[in-house]
């Protein structure tokens, strides 16, 4: 009797299990069958940004721009665009690794990024050798695209940005300036060099009275600032990462250095204001975009959607440029199709008068756009527009 009960129970359990397995297995099988089909129909676009580490705040702002562009323009030639986002961790070695992974494992057709010239340059040979095009978001060092037929960018470059800020300093009455540069950062060193060259053309040899160096991650700038103060400059140009730059300005004010501080486009993050507080009021820096001066229909679409998504916040240059990098890739794939990365590369290189958030974008022979810069300040805790500088304005000088 016990044996009969056991066998009956065993058989009942087996039947129940087979029914469950039959239903569940069937559903699972169907789901698995659908996944490859959906993936096969999608066009993969790599997104290569620092989402952790020293540059994370900049990377996050750019990711906002790319995601927003994807939301507003989700398809290409009837196919869904799938963003494959990787974190280069603000690290050069990791940048090369994740760029290779996007190409070899994820099979992306084009890559967007990165924030940070050093990080983009670290991936340069990867995209070049693999023949998969990349479009830099805010990597302004000329070496990102120079000699690399597969790297392009949405942003202006440092010779222009440095000249813009040198002209601004001179126009505001500076006859001698000091430079403080982040020597472990290609962006900072390059931008400082171009500023120096441009300022000396305006104010003459010897007008740069001090060049001080620091390393990424430094927190104490008292030695550099003490030496700088003794040289009595009329202004200080200090391009670098937003955190170190804000600390530098803060400590300068504490030492009684009251002259204007000038910087580059990396300063336009909320972290710069959060760290610097009232001490960064009145600084001036270059950017690529200001919401109050946005002129194109695409810029209006971008702004409308951004303020909805982020509850009335206003986007800065980093977010706008990242959005534009997506538009450049999208436009190229409309022309070249989505299968052949080399054809996409050729279509990117041919970009001309494309309507973007920062104006009409045309790429030159080096893969760089010729576009205007805006100069902003910090006023009452907010980034505030001051002026627009066009490339023609500088040629006329």
């Amino acid at each position: 009797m016990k044996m009969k009960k056991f066998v009956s129970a065993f058989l009942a359990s087996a039947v129940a299990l087979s029914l469950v397995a039959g239903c569940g297995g069937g559903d699972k099988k169907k789901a698995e069958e659908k996944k490859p089909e959906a993936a096969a129909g999608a066009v993969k676009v790599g997104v290569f940004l620092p989402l952790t580490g020293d540059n994370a705040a900049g990377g996050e702002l750019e990711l906002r721009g790319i995601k927003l562009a994807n939301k507003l323009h989700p398809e290409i030639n009837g196919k869904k665009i799938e963003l494959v986002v990787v974190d280069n961790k603000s690290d050069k070695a990791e940048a090369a690794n994740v760029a290779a992974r996007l190409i070899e494992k994820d099979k992306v057709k084009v890559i967007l990024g990165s924030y940070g010239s050093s990080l983009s340059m670290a991936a340069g040979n990867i995209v070049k050798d693999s023949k998969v095009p990349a479009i830099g978001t805010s990597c302004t060092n000329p070496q990102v695209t120079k000699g690399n037929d597969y790297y392009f960018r949405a942003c202006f470059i440092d010779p222009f940005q440095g000249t813009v800020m040198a002209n601004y300093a001179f126009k505001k009455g500076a006859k001698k300036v000091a430079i403080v540069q982040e020597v472990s950062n290609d962006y900072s060193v390059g931008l400082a060099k171009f500023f120096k060259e441009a300022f000396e053309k305006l104010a003459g040899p010897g007008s740069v009275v001090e060049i001080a160096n620091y390393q990424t991650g430094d927190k104490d700038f008292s030695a550099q600032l003490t030496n700088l103060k003794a040289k009595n400059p009329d202004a200080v140009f200090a391009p670098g990462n937003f955190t170190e730059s804000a600390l530098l300005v803060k400590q300068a004010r504490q030492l009684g250095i009251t002259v204007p501080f000038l910087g580059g486009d990396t300063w336009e993050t909320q972290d710069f204001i959060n760290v610097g507080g009232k001490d960064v009021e009145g600084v001036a820096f270059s950017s690529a975009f200001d919401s109050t001066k946005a002129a194109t229909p695409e810029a209006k679409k971008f702004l409308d959607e951004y303020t909805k998504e982020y509850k009335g916040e206003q986007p800065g240059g980093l977010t706008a440029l990242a959005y534009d990098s997506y538009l450049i890739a999208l436009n190229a794939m409309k022309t070249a199709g989505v299968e052949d990365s080399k054809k996409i590369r050729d279509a990117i290189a041919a970009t001309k008068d494309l309507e973007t958030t920062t104006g009409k974008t045309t790429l030159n022979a080096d893969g760089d756009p010729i576009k205007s810069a805006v100069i902003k300040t910090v006023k009452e805790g907010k980034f505030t527009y001051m002026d627009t500088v066009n490339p023609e304005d500088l040629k006329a000088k």
Side-chain angles (χ1 to χ4, degrees):
M1 188 70 175
K2 283 183 182 177
M3 187 58 146
K4 271 187 183 178
K5 282 183 181 176
F6 173 78
V7 171
S8 299
F10 175 79
L11 288 172
S13 299
V15 170
L17 283 169
S18 68
L19 287 171
V20 171
C23 295
D27 289 345
K28 186 178 179 184
K29 190 176 180 184
K30 282 178 188 174
E32 285 172 351
E33 284 169 358
K34 284 179 185 174
K35 279 181 185 175
E37 188 183 342
V43 179
K44 290 187 175 183
V45 171
V47 180
F48 160 66
L49 294 170
L51 302 175
T52 56
D54 292 331
N55 300 315
E60 287 290 351
L61 288 175
E62 294 191 357
L63 184 58
R64 284 185 180 190
I66 293 169
K67 283 185 172 180
L68 201 61
N70 181 243
K71 181 179 179 181
L72 293 173
H73 303 281
E75 294 185 350
I76 177 68
N77 301 341
K79 292 187 174 184
K80 179 180 170 58
I81 298 174
E82 177 189 338
L83 299 178
V84 184
V85 181
V86 295
D87 177 11
N88 60 41
K89 300 180 181 177
S90 307
D91 180 81
K92 294 178 191 178
E94 186 66 14
N97 290 338
V98 295
R101 192 179 84 202
L102 282 172
I103 294 166
E104 294 163 12
K105 182 184 174 186
D106 298 306
K107 309 295 182 188
V108 301
K109 297 299 181 183
V110 61
I111 295 173
L112 308 180
S114 175
Y115 172 97
S117 295
S118 297
L119 302 170
S120 297
M121 289 158 67
N125 285 334
I126 304 291
V127 301
K128 185 177 181 180
D129 295 344
S130 303
K131 293 183 166 38
V132 172
I135 303 170
T137 41
S138 64
C139 43
T140 52
N141 189 297
Q143 295 305 314
V144 172
T145 57
K146 200 77 175 172
N148 190 335
D149 290 340
Y150 276 81
Y151 229 120
F152 303 86
R153 71 178 106 217
C155 52
F156 49 56
I157 58 175
D158 287 334
F160 173 63
Q161 184 175 199
T163 303
V164 165
M165 295 313 295
N167 275 268
Y168 173 82
F170 189 72
K171 186 178 172 183
K172 290 294 180 182
K175 297 292 185 273
K176 53 181 183 175
V177 298
I179 292 172
V180 186
Q181 61 183 0
E182 187 178 340
V183 288
S184 47
N185 181 337
D186 291 318
Y187 160 84
S188 179
V189 173
L191 186 48
K193 171 182 175 287
F194 294 117
F195 175 90
K196 179 178 183 291
E197 290 171 359
F199 191 81
E200 287 180 335
K201 280 183 184 176
L202 294 165
S207 54
V208 176
V209 295
E210 172 77 356
I211 298 177
N213 301 327
Y214 68 90
Q215 298 285 338
T216 304
D218 282 357
K219 300 278 191 295
D220 181 1
F221 306 99
S222 54
Q224 295 95 325
L225 289 168
T226 299
N227 291 336
L228 180 155
K229 186 178 181 182
K231 301 293 177 67
N232 197 30
D234 300 320
V236 179
F237 184 61
N241 195 26
F242 43 86
T243 303
E244 289 85 346
S245 297
L247 286 171
L248 177 75
V249 178
K250 194 176 187 69
Q251 291 174 29
R253 300 307 185 219
Q254 290 166 354
L255 282 171
I257 299 171
T258 59
V259 299
F261 267 74
L262 317 176
D265 56 322
T266 52
W267 286 14
E268 197 177 8
T269 70
Q270 188 57 42
D271 283 30
F272 178 78
I273 293 176
N274 292 345
V275 172
K278 62 180 176 52
D279 291 313
V280 297
E281 288 279 318
V283 300
F285 63 92
S286 45
S287 176
F289 178 82
D290 185 80
S291 59
T292 65
K293 301 297 174 182
T296 67
E298 189 64 45
K300 186 178 185 309
K301 189 189 300 184
F302 163 65
L303 286 169
D304 288 347
E305 195 61 35
Y306 189 93
T307 51
K308 281 183 207 168
E309 190 90 11
Y310 297 101
K311 299 177 182 176
E313 280 184 41
Q314 292 299 316
L318 299 178
T319 306
L321 288 170
Y323 185 100
D324 287 356
S325 71
Y326 183 98
L327 293 184
I328 294 168
L330 183 75
N331 181 65
M333 291 188 289
K334 281 179 182 173
T335 303
V338 298
E339 300 302 326
D340 188 330
S341 287
K342 186 179 183 305
K343 287 181 180 176
I344 295 171
R345 178 258 163 228
D346 293 343
I348 294 170
T351 300
K352 185 176 181 181
D353 292 333
L354 176 66
E355 185 188 295
T356 59
T357 67
T358 53
K360 291 205 170 180
T361 295
T362 296
L363 299 183
N364 66 16
D366 287 325
D368 304 327
I370 307 301
K371 55 177 58 177
S372 301
V374 297
I375 298 176
K376 294 186 178 182
T377 186
V378 177
K379 185 178 180 182
E380 296 176 359
K382 292 182 180 178
F383 295 120
T384 306
Y385 172 85
M386 289 201 295
D387 197 10
T388 298
V389 182
N390 301 307
E392 310 83 66
D393 300 337
L394 298 180
K395 286 177 186 174
K397 289 186 182 296

